[in-house]
Structures are given as C-alpha cells and as structure tokens.
Amino acid sequence: MIPIAKPLLDSREHEAVLKVLESGAIASGEDVLTFEREFSEYAGTRFAVAICNGTAALHAAIKSCDINPGDKVITTPFTFAATANSILFEKAVPIFVDIDPSTFNIDPIKIEEALKKHGDIKAIIIVHLFGLVCDMSRILDIAKAHGIALIEDAAQAHGAMYGDKMAGSFGRASTFSFYPTKNMTTSEGGMILTDDEGIYRSCKTFINHGQAERYIHETLGYNFRMTNIAAAIGLVQLKKLDAFNEKRILNASYYNTHIDNTTVAKPLCPAGYKHVYHQYTLKVKNRDRFVKHLADNHIGTGIHYPLPLNGQPLYKRLGYSSAETPIAQQVAEEVVSIPVHPALSQENLEHIAKVINQYE
Ligand SMILES: *Cc1c(COP(=O)(O)O)cnc(C)c1O
C-alpha cells in the first residue's frame, strides 16, 4: 500500500536525538530555544514559542489574544477539529463562515457578511488548508478595517507563501503543528509565531504554569512545553523543509499534468501563491467507489474532512448545523486526498496517475 503520509527521518535525526539523550537535558532547554530562533527566522517573525503540539499552540494563541468566555470568533468549518475546539477551550463562541469551493479556504466575502451580521466579533482564525495560504490581502484589509485580531492556523502550511511573505507571518499570532503527517515533524510538537512581544510573553508563561519567575504563578497556565528531544528532530527537519516542499510541489505538478480523468476535479493553485501541498485533494462525485478503486490498486487515500465542524456531533449538540455553510457541507462529501508526500517515487506517481485515469 502506498501510504497517504510518511515522515522522512534518517541518520541526521537519529544522531540529533541521541545527542540529546546522551546530554541528559531531555526536557525543555537549549535545543528548544535554538529551534524557536531558527523557526522564527525561517518564517520571518520576531518571536517564536515552541509548544507540545499544534492544538496547544492554538489554545495559547487564543488566550494571548485576549479571547475570553462569550467572545465571538470567526473561523472556517472546513478544517481539523482543533481549530474550533481551541475556541471552545476558552468558552468563546465559534462563528463558522463558509469556504471558497475552489481553494477550500475561508471566503473573505462571507467574513464580511458575518461581521455585518454580528457586530461584536473579537477575532478571526483562518486556516491555510492543505498548504495553500488564504486570500491574505483581503483578509488583512478586513481585520484592519474592523480592528480585530487575526490568528493564522498554519498547521498545514510550513513554508507556504503569499507573494513574498511566509505563512505564519501575517497574523497577530500564528500556529504550527509538527505532527508526523505534516510538512515537517518533531514527533508531537507545535509553534506559535508573533511579532508582538506581549503575545510572546503571554504564550511563554501560558505554556509554563503561568510562571514568569520560578514558582511564582501570576496566571493560570499549563505544562505545554516542548522537549529538547522534539526540538532536536525539528532542527534537522527545518533544514530539510524546503527540499520536502519542492518535492511535494513536483509531485503535485506531475498530477496536474498527468491526471486527465474528467470525473475528478484537481486542486487549484492561484497565481502569486506558493502552495506546499500538505495534501493534494481531489473532488469526486462517487467517493466511496473511487476510494475502493484506489485501495484495490494499493493506493492509500485520506478524507480531509468527512464532516464540516458544524456538522460534528459535538457542535450539533451545541446548536450548530452544517446547513449554515452549504459549500463546506457539499465539499466535505466530495473531497479525497491522494498521496503527495516527498517519500513517493517516480514509479509511485506513475502508478497513482494511471490508476486514477482508469477510474470511470
Ligand atoms: C494538525 C492540525 C492541528 C493540530 O495539531 P496537533 O499537533 O495535531 O495538535 C490544528 N489545525 C490544523 C489545521 C491541523 O491540520
């Protein structure tokens, strides 16, 4: 079976981890600080806070942007659950806004409509889904015009670009995940980026039991720290990230030119964007049959995502309905991701394109 995702680790990660183990400094220390510095330099922000995973990164970003119980936060329903769940962690209220069916990203026009409908929106959390940055010039204009905080969930967009700016460099805060299926990994891990020193300090204390000073707890915090073991993996992976992304882009362009089955819709990459293809996501009408055809030919697939968040049991119990975002609802029934990760061989690519072209 060709897997839908595969982390690429070699002797460089092995040696880096071994070095940390031999040092005895296996919790949070120097490697974490170095990883923070190098990751923020890569993305072009002043500050970075390494954290135990991408979900905790979203939680810390929300808390540090002063989102409080009852505050309304606009976000997309077409994402991994962590995006909106992190709003619920602080007892704030997700307002789901529909997506653009051609990019899968939140639709700026629908953001404006939601802002008109709700006069009291506190923040917007956007997601650069599947490795494609959102329509930033319009979204930044909206956030500025309304004076509201913008948080980027860049968990799927390490190294993605809009014009000459990196994903994660637009918002008041941005968050990343380094889960093994992402464009780079630390095993479990995450990062918050910001240019704002106040947000930086707030995240640093939030992830460390609210301590600005040892054993002096100013606020309620958590233990969300990253380990040196994870950071050592991340430092090696960060050096490989551009090459990983280039291979993902090459794989995607192979599919763009070689998949010519008119029953499947290929993903779009608008001009001016660097799409890093965290996923290569097709739309098909008869998805179960398509998935079976690929599985019968030893090709793994992924459904990202089978339900918009407002159609999830958790959110339905809270009174939400996926009927409020009909485009996300429709798209969720049709999407299927095929392997695009950098471990694919030329033979894999040829096989996958051929099998898809044979589907009828
Ligand atoms: C992976 C992911 C997260 C959560 O990251 P974890 O490290 O798994 O906690 C959040 N948002 C999106 C869009 C993701 O893809």
Side-chain angles (χ1 to χ4, degrees):
M1 192 69 131
I2 303 171
I4 182 68
K6 185 176 178 192
L8 277 174
L9 303 160
D10 63 28
S11 59
R12 282 186 281 172
E13 283 87 354
H14 303 175
E15 280 161 24
V17 169
L18 210 59
K19 221 171 123 191
V20 173
L21 291 177
E22 283 164 353
S23 79
I26 56 178
S28 179
E30 277 305 314
D31 301 86
V32 171
L33 296 175
T34 309
F35 185 39
E36 289 176 339
R37 197 176 59 241
E38 294 195 6
F39 197 81
S40 59
E41 276 170 14
Y42 178 84
T45 63
R46 287 180 67 204
F47 303 103
V49 179
I51 192 163
C52 56
N53 59 57
T55 305
L58 282 161
H59 189 181
I62 281 167
K63 185 71 191 172
S64 70
C65 285
D66 198 32
I67 294 165
N68 294 303
D71 285 345
K72 291 180 185 165
V73 181
I74 285 176
T75 194
T76 170
F78 196 58
T79 177
F80 181 58
T83 313
N85 287 358
S86 62
I87 300 169
L88 298 183
F89 294 162
E90 286 302 316
K91 302 193 162 42
V93 181
I95 303 290
F96 292 110
V97 159
D98 216 346
I99 59 167
D100 179 331
S102 63
T103 62
F104 304 114
N105 281 331
I106 196 164
D107 185 340
I109 295 170
K110 306 268 169 59
I111 296 178
E112 301 243 44
E113 286 171 9
L115 283 164
K116 276 206 194 91
K117 188 167 162 209
H118 306 269
D120 51 349
I121 297 290
K122 187 74 178 272
I124 306 174
I125 305 181
I126 56 170
V127 180
H128 307 310
L129 202 71
F130 304 150
L132 179 65
V133 178
C134 293
D135 184 347
M136 290 319 302
S137 71
R138 289 167 75 192
I139 292 172
L140 285 169
D141 282 350
I142 293 168
K144 211 182 204 172
H146 293 263
I148 45 187
L150 179 70
I151 298 172
E152 296 172 74
D153 180 347
Q156 305 188 358
H158 322 64
M161 295 179 85
Y162 176 85
D164 59 1
K165 282 199 76 181
M166 288 275 189
S169 67
F170 298 96
R172 189 171 297 173
S174 66
T175 65
F176 289 82
S177 163
F178 304 119
Y179 189 72
T181 56
K182 311 288 181 179
N183 291 44
M184 61 173 280
T185 188
T186 62
S187 73
E188 296 277 4
M191 192 76 80
I192 305 139
L193 296 181
T194 184
D195 286 327
D196 181 319
E197 190 164 357
I199 301 258
Y200 166 72
R201 297 210 175 283
S202 158
C203 288
K204 272 271 171 191
T205 49
F206 185 71
I207 69 163
N208 195 23
H209 284 298
Q211 301 172 93
E213 235 181 285
R214 191 162 217 184
Y215 300 132
I216 305 297
H217 304 270
E218 295 284 351
T219 51
L220 180 66
Y222 295 79
N223 173 3
F224 282 166
R225 295 179 303 261
M226 179 180 272
T227 67
N228 274 350
I229 299 170
I233 299 171
L235 279 163
V236 178
Q237 288 269 307
L238 180 58
K239 292 192 179 67
K240 299 178 174 180
L241 175 61
D242 284 339
F244 285 162
N245 283 341
E246 288 314 316
K247 179 70 165 91
R248 285 177 183 273
I249 291 165
L250 276 176
N251 293 346
S253 79
Y254 182 87
Y255 291 147
N256 288 340
T257 51
H258 290 83
I259 294 176
D260 57 8
N261 185 331
T262 51
T263 67
V264 305
K266 290 177 279 190
L268 183 85
C269 178
Y273 291 73
K274 181 179 179 183
H275 194 322
V276 293
Y277 295 97
H278 171 62
Q279 300 294 351
Y280 189 92
T281 302
L282 305 168
K283 282 184 278 190
V284 294
K285 292 287 181 209
N286 204 335
R287 182 169 64 195
D288 290 348
R289 208 157 61 78
F290 182 82
V291 166
K292 184 174 182 309
H293 173 69
L294 267 64
D296 288 346
N297 287 284
H298 315 290
I299 301 165
T301 50
I303 309 299
H304 309 104
Y305 295 92
L307 287 175
L309 296 185
N310 45 12
Q312 291 284 353
L314 166 66
Y315 286 86
K316 287 208 290 199
R317 280 205 306 279
L318 296 173
Y320 291 90
S321 161
S322 58
E324 288 158 12
T325 52
I327 295 171
Q329 189 179 32
Q330 173 71 30
V331 163
E333 288 173 15
E334 297 178 358
V335 281
V336 53
S337 305
I338 60 172
V340 72
H341 56 78
L344 294 176
S345 65
Q346 183 60 28
E347 196 190 343
N348 292 154
L349 292 169
E350 287 168 13
H351 175 67
I352 293 167
K354 193 184 84 197
V355 167
I356 291 174
N357 289 338
Q358 282 164 351
Y359 173 75
E360 47 191 37

